[in-house]
Structures are given as structure tokens and as C-alpha cells.
Amino acid sequence: MAKEMFLAGCSSAAYGAMLSRVEVISSYPIRPYTGIMMELSKLVANGELDAEFVHGEGEHAQVSIAYGASAAGARAYTGSSGVGVTYAMECYSPAAGGRLPCQMAIADRALDPPGDFGSEHTDVMSARDQGWIMGWAADPQEVLDNTIMYFKIGEDARVLLPQFCCQDGYFVSHIPGKVSIPDQKAVDEYLPPFNNPHPLDPTKPVSHGPQIFPDQGPAIDLQRAQAFIDTPKVIEEAVADFNKQFGRNYDPFLEEYMTDDAEFVFFLQGGHARTARFAVNHLREKGVKAGMVRLRFMRPFPTEAVAESLSKFKAVGTIETSTSYGGAMKGGNLIHEVRSALYDVPNPPPVTSFMAGLGGEVVSLEEFYSMAKVLTQAAKDGKVDQYVYWVNFDKV
Amino acid sequence: MAKAVETQNLEMAKSARRVPQEEWYLPGHRTCQGCGPALTYKLVSKATGGDSIFLGPTGCMYVANTSYLCSPWAYPWMHTQITNAGAVASGIEAAYQVLIRKGKYKGKLPNIVCMAGDGGSIDIGLQAMSGMMYRGHDALFIMYDNESYANTGIQTSPATPYGANTTFTPPGKAIPEGKVLFPKDACQLVIGGHPAVHYVATASLAYPVDLINKVRKALNYKGPTFVHIHSPCPKGWLFDAKKTVEVAKLAIETGMWVNYEWENGEYTYQHTPKEYKPVAGYMKGQQRFAHLTDAHIAKMQAFIDAKLKAPGIPVALPVQGPRES
Amino acid sequence: MSKKYCEKFNIPKHLQVPLGAVLPANKKENKGMITGNWRTVRPVIDHEACTLCLNCFLFCPDATWHLDEKEEKMVWNADYCKGCLICENECPVDCISAVNELEFKGGVVRLEKPF
């Protein structure tokens, strides 16, 4: 029987990992994700989880240990935050290119400067092009569920890709919520043991990662790209099975909130969705037809689902929570993806972006109201005046 | 907590005849003519046999061995970044511990061997190597030492000797000796700071049976071990390809290289000559030292003399740092 | 690379890369990297003078010398010998000599076309 607990995102991730029966864990402390490893180390110390708990000497080592373990055929789990995520950058491509489906929990943290502990998605968004599956949870329950689902997706023979299982630092990682912890037996039925198709095993020797002819480079890149093209179908299946097995109600790619008659929507990832839902409720009370669409997977980016969903509205505002300095839209990353997805839609809605949720800042209700003002105008005019609004600073 | 799984019990090779004819590092690689590290690789592989997993951090022994989607290893091998051989090995060892414990892998723990160059061991790879040594993983870290970043065109590394001409330390009017620093002592780094380590050795490709036995001895120890192997590089050190073994022998005869074992705090020495020859004889045979003056060679001799007072054991060496005047 | 991709994208055989670039290991030799054509001189052994000290076997970086235990003589692998001549240098009885490769009929493994 599933039991209910009151857990923050970090503990919830740890329970998700335990239920997934991770076999090798590699740790290194950095706030805020540290809580995941503190919880897991207790579970291992108490004998509740039979795993090797390896204290990496840094994040670079953590990821190396994890993909090494995965290469040997074990289910491996690691995690990090902020500059720790970027310190390990070298190791992401070898793990993805070697098709080693280890999982890395991310509790986001702003990069330095500003030198604070707050959440901002730029850390792991910097690694979005390395060939890892990635997406954000919005609350502790989804953290636990995603942890289990990501192993199922990443280890699928059609996929074999490592995963960034992300949650916002503090907003999700440290704010407790009700979490239904599934029964181990039910998880075992859902998630079969990891079966590496090409392990480092002396009884069937292989060579992993040799040099290639330059001409073979595109072919090997195509292979990884193709895995991402095949992944959405696997995600759909894994989410459907999960919903059935555990009685949840996830849409594979998008959470839509009050969108049936919405004129405009906030488009975002992660924990700020919880404030966004309140903001939408309040705006509705004032007669403003606002809605919210939350992205559940950044990679693979669900192009068709996003195009289909967002083309229904008169205006879209992305809430960036990450930076892309000097990018095409002069602000964040999300708008690039959204505008690209909408490019071939007839009469696409105007899309602008909001720089908010940076450096750990809370995206307040007031800020949502000021964004709503911009989007109401855009819906009326059928165009946007700016690619990007720095919320609280740009005049609206 | 984790119960240690069974490890190897490899027999010592008593003579050349007892060295296996079977190859595990196979013919068919793009290493240079007379490559010292390739010879080292071959001998290490004969020592380990096939029940092994080798890790190849970036370096000559990755790039020149796997070119064009083919590989010369009969045992499982995996490329690692030049930075992380020790960490990847740790992950593999941890995985085998748990897989064996859970009955998912039926055999005994394979020999897990990192074949890292000097850069991948004590420069950019130092952190991961030290992490593996500290945590006590049952794996062997081999530093095949060709005294430079040879793969990228002979740049200086912390193992490059004083006075060597490398493409990052060219001798010139302002810096006549080329490389001004003395090398890091790899084995002392490992011995000095890693309580989980019980066996460290140096070896030379000029003494293959000794090399093979040291590798086997290292593997027979439970826990992390380190073997530092002198592997002359004809291209980088600029000598005739046929002289690789001769140069390695001369290093022993002049004290430029000392073969020793360190077992639980006890040193034993091998191949010590009755009388050391002057280092000039070693240096003059290699074009990388051709620009040095007698004064420079005397400085090297003083360094070696001090080191030989207690080889392997740290003593105060007469080394002037670059910021001292 | 899986068959499906190769067919879908019409990838020619020489560009097909296995999943994750993971190769099955070779057993005896790596035919993907023949190096016998590097050689300009060839080590030739005088079996009469050879004492089977095994130095050539021990010191060859390319593992081209082996002991034929039945015949009690050294055998040499022409496909991979790069002609470094460590064997000649380390032979204690000078029973290996360096012979110019051009002395041998079809001795050098030539490339089919120049680079």
C-alpha cells in the first residue's frame, strides 16, 4: 500500500531513487541538492537501500562515477546544483554518447555571480544540448514520480540516454508537500532491472568510445539525435503506464491550467507554476482570461504538443528563469524554443518573454500581474513590442 | 555495509619463459615506431590477462590505439576523459561490488586497470586518481610515464625532467635550459597521503618480468594500488626508435630512474647498479637535452645525487624554485 | 548502428557506427590498423644462431614476435611490424639483422592509392 508522507523535494527525490533500487550513488555536497544525498546516505547506512554510496571528490567525479557504474551495468544516481552542474560539464557528452542511462538529480541554483543559494535554471540549462533527457517537476510528488519515470524512459532500449531530473532549488527542493510514496512491489512491477546492452564485462569484451573517422562523426551524432526523436513515444508510454500503475494524472509533456477559454498564457517550467496557478485564479476573479502552460520536458522538446497547445491563445509569455546572454531574443532560452515550435503554425500568437525567477528571486503575484498587463495588451494588438521584459525593471 | 568480494590471486612469472605468449593488447595500433608506452601496455596486459577491464584516459594510449573505429584490446576497454580515469574506475568497481553482492554478476571482481599517462595521472587527472586511492576502490592505477604530453605534440607535464626541450618549454636566450622546474614525484604523492593504499611500485619497460610481477602483485592486493612505469618516447625525447629499451636501461644505470616497491611502509629496491654512471651519459643520448650547458647538467646531477641518497623516500633536494633568486 | 537507422537514412557501410560507438573486441589482432606498410627495414632472424632468449618477444611494442613452442623457434608477424628494430638492438647474440624492405619481393604492404 502506498503511504503518505510530508516531504520536501530533496527527500522526495531520495525516496524515488530508493524505490528505483539505485545501485551506485555518487555524492558531493553543494546546496540545495545536498539534502537528496543526506537522505540517501541515511537509507544506505540503515540498510534500507543496498547500494554503493561513493563520495566523489567533486561533481566532475560524481558524473564520472555514475557513468562508469552505468557502463558496468549498474543503475547509477547522482546529482548537483549550480556551479557544481557546470563543473561537471565535460562528463555529460561522454555519458550521453556512450548511451549510459544514469540519472542526475538537479536542484537548481544560480551560477556565480550573484553568489547566492537561490534557484535559477541557467545551471543545467547550460547543459541542455549535451544529449541528456531533461525536465522539471513542480512539486515534491512530481519529483518522486519523475525520478522513477526517468529511469524507465532513459533505460528503454529505444532510448538509452542519461537524464537530468530537475527541480527548482528551495522552491521545490526545500518546501515540503504531501507525497504519496508508492509500494516497492508496485514500483518493481513498473520499473524492470537495468539491462545494459553493452556492459564492460570480461566474458563479452567490448571497446567503449574509440576514436572514429571524421566522416563517421555525423553518423554517430545522427544516432543520438534519432534517439531523441524516438523518445517522445517512449515518454508517452511510460507516463501512461505510470498513471495507470499509481493512479496519477500526468500529461506526458504539458500541464495546462485554466486554458479552455484563456486569451493568454504564461509558459514556464518548474516550481513557479504553483504561484502561477494562484495568479491565474486571482486574475480570473478580476475578469482577466489568463491561463498557464507548464513544460514537463525541455529535452526532448515536445514541439508538436507545444505548437498545438499554444496556437489556441492570443498571446504567450514565457517566464524564463534562465539566461541566454546575447541570444536571439536578448533574454532567456525558453522563448527560442517556443517561437521555433510556433513558426509553422498559421497565424501564430505573439510571443514575448519575461526575465523573472533569476538569482533565486521569488516570482511574486505582483510580478505575474505586471506580466498579465503586457500579455493583455499583446492579445489585443496581436503583436508584442519587445522580445523581452525584465520584470520589475522594464516599464509596462 | 559492503562485504569485499573475492579478488585476484595471480602467479608471479619467474622467467621470460613464464611470460604468457598470449596477447591481450593486440598487434594493430597506430603508436609510433619503438613506442615505449605501447610496450608498457603490452607487458601490463600480459600481467593482467583477460579477466580485466581497462580504462584509457585521453592521451597517446587512447588516440594512437583506437583510431578509426577499431581497437587493439581483447579485454573490455573504455575511453575516459583525461581528467577522470580514477573516478570512472571507481564507478565501475562500485558497480561490480554491488552487482556481485546481489548475484547479478556471477564471476569474481575483474581486474580494473587505469592506463593513464603522466598528465592523466598527476596533472589534470590527479584529483580523480587521488579520489580513487583515498576511497579504497579495488583497482590498479598505472601511470605510463613518457614524461610529456606526447599525444598533442610533446608539451611539458609535471613529469617532464628539468632541462627538457618541449614545445611549451623551448630553450631560448631568456630561458636557456628550456624546462626550469623539477618533476613531481608521483609515487610519493600516492604514498604520502592515501591511507587505503598498501602497495606502490615503480617499474621500467627494460625489466619486463619485474614489471609483470609488480602489476600482478598490485592486483593481488585488495584495494587501490599504483604502479609508475618508465616508458621512454622516441619521438618526444628525440632518440632512435630502436633505442627505447636501451634508454630505459640507461636511466636505471644513471639513477635517473629507480625501480622500487613500497609495501605497507617498507621499501625494497631492484636493479640497483653497484655504481651509478653520470647522468650526462643519459642526457647526451637524447636530443631534448642537446641545448644544455655543463652547468645545467651539473644541476641535474646534484638533483639526482640527492634523490639517490634515499630513493623513493622524500629528502630535501637542492631545487631552486622559479620565484627564488 | 541499428539496422533501422541505417536503412532509414541510407547510411553507407563504411560510415555505420554501432550503438554508442561500442565495438566488439578483437581476439588475435586488430585488422583495422595494419602497420606493416610503415616499415622501411625488416628484422630478419637467423634461427641457427638464435638462443631463444625471448628478448625480441618481450621487447616488441607491437607484439610481432612470438615463440612457436612446437618448432622451438621465433616467428615474426609481417603485417604489423613497423620496423623499429628494438629486436635487433636488444638481441644479445646479434642473430637479428636489418634488411632493406626493398630487397623483398612484394615485401612492403603498399596502399592501393596514395593519400
Side-chain angles (χ1 to χ4, degrees), chain B residues 52-64:
Chain B
S52 308
I53 296 169
F54 271 64
L55 298 169
T58 307
C60 282
M61 290 301 101
Y62 164 54
V63 175

Side-chain angles (χ1 to χ4, degrees), chain B residues 140 199 213-221 223 225-227:
Chain B
L140 166 61
Y199 182 81
N213 286 337
K214 281 171 173 169
V215 169
R216 288 188 172 169
K217 211 163 171 182
L219 291 168
N220 287 349
Y221 267 94
T225 45
F226 186 84
V227 180

Side-chain angles (χ1 to χ4, degrees), chain A residues 162-181:
Chain A
Q163 319 103 42
F164 290 122
C165 189
C166 313
Q167 54 180 307
D168 299 68
Y170 299 99
F171 301 129
V172 178
S173 73
H174 279 61
I175 299 180
K178 241 193 267 172
V179 178
S180 162
I181 313 249

Side-chain angles (χ1 to χ4, degrees), chain A residues 219-230:
Chain A
I220 195 169
D221 286 349
L222 173 61
Q223 220 182 79
R224 221 190 300 185
Q226 189 64 30
F228 273 95
I229 290 167
D230 293 344

Side-chain angles (χ1 to χ4, degrees), chain A residues 23-24 50 52 54-55 57 60 64-65 67-69 72 87 90 94 200-202 205-213, chain B residues 2 51 53 62 66 68-69 71 74 76-79 81 83-84 87 91-92 94 96 99 101-102 104-105 127-128 135:
Chain A
E23 289 161 322
V24 174
D50 183 8
E52 289 286 311
V54 185
H55 303 120
E57 66 278 2
H60 191 279
S64 308
I65 290 163
Y67 83 70
Y87 180 49
E90 185 194 15
L200 287 168
D201 176 348
V206 290
S207 295
H208 255 271
Q211 296 247 309
I212 56 167
F213 276 116
Chain B
D51 190 14
I53 296 169
Y62 164 54
T66 66
Y68 315 137
L69 206 64
S71 93
W77 168 93
M78 183 178 179
H79 171 231
Q81 306 310 108
T83 44
N84 68 357
I92 292 170
Y96 268 95
L99 294 175
R101 193 161 72 231
K102 290 186 172 181
K104 290 187 181 176
Y105 183 76
Q127 178 172 307
R135 288 187 299 262

Side-chain angles (χ1 to χ4, degrees), chain B residues 170-213:
Chain B
K173 250 190 230 161
I175 312 171
E177 64 261 72
K179 168 123 182 188
V180 294
L181 300 171
F182 283 85
K184 272 189 199 178
D185 191 329
C187 288
Q188 292 309 315
L189 283 171
V190 178
I191 293 168
H194 301 91
V197 178
H198 299 290
Y199 182 81
V200 171
T202 60
S204 165
L205 58 75
Y207 297 90
V209 177
D210 175 71
L211 187 156
I212 286 169
N213 286 337

Side-chain angles (χ1 to χ4, degrees), chain A residues 229-298:
Chain A
I229 290 167
D230 293 344
T231 302
K233 188 170 177 285
V234 178
I235 291 175
E236 282 173 7
E237 290 169 16
V239 172
D241 286 354
F242 195 90
N243 288 342
K244 206 171 136 203
Q245 178 82 345
F246 303 101
R248 309 274 198 271
N249 193 24
Y250 293 110
D251 181 272
F253 304 113
L254 299 171
E255 176 203 341
E256 295 202 11
Y257 186 75
M258 306 282 267
T259 52
D260 284 351
D261 61 341
E263 284 195 344
F264 67 82
V265 288
F266 305 113
F267 185 84
L268 47 69
Q269 316 189 81
H272 294 292
R274 289 193 283 180
T275 328
R277 291 184 207 124
F278 277 104
V280 167
N281 290 348
H282 292 186
L283 286 163
R284 290 272 170 167
E285 283 164 18
K286 291 178 197 156
V288 182
K289 286 186 172 170
M292 180 200 75
V293 177
R294 179 173 67 90
L295 183 66
R296 281 187 13 98
F297 281 93
M298 170 45 104

Side-chain angles (χ1 to χ4, degrees), chain A residues 69 89 128-129 135-136 166 193 209-210 223 250 291 321-322 391 395:
Chain A
M89 187 67 88
R128 72 188 181 282
D129 297 333
W136 269 262
C166 313
Q223 220 182 79
Y250 293 110
T321 54
S322 79
V391 177
K395 272 200 188 115

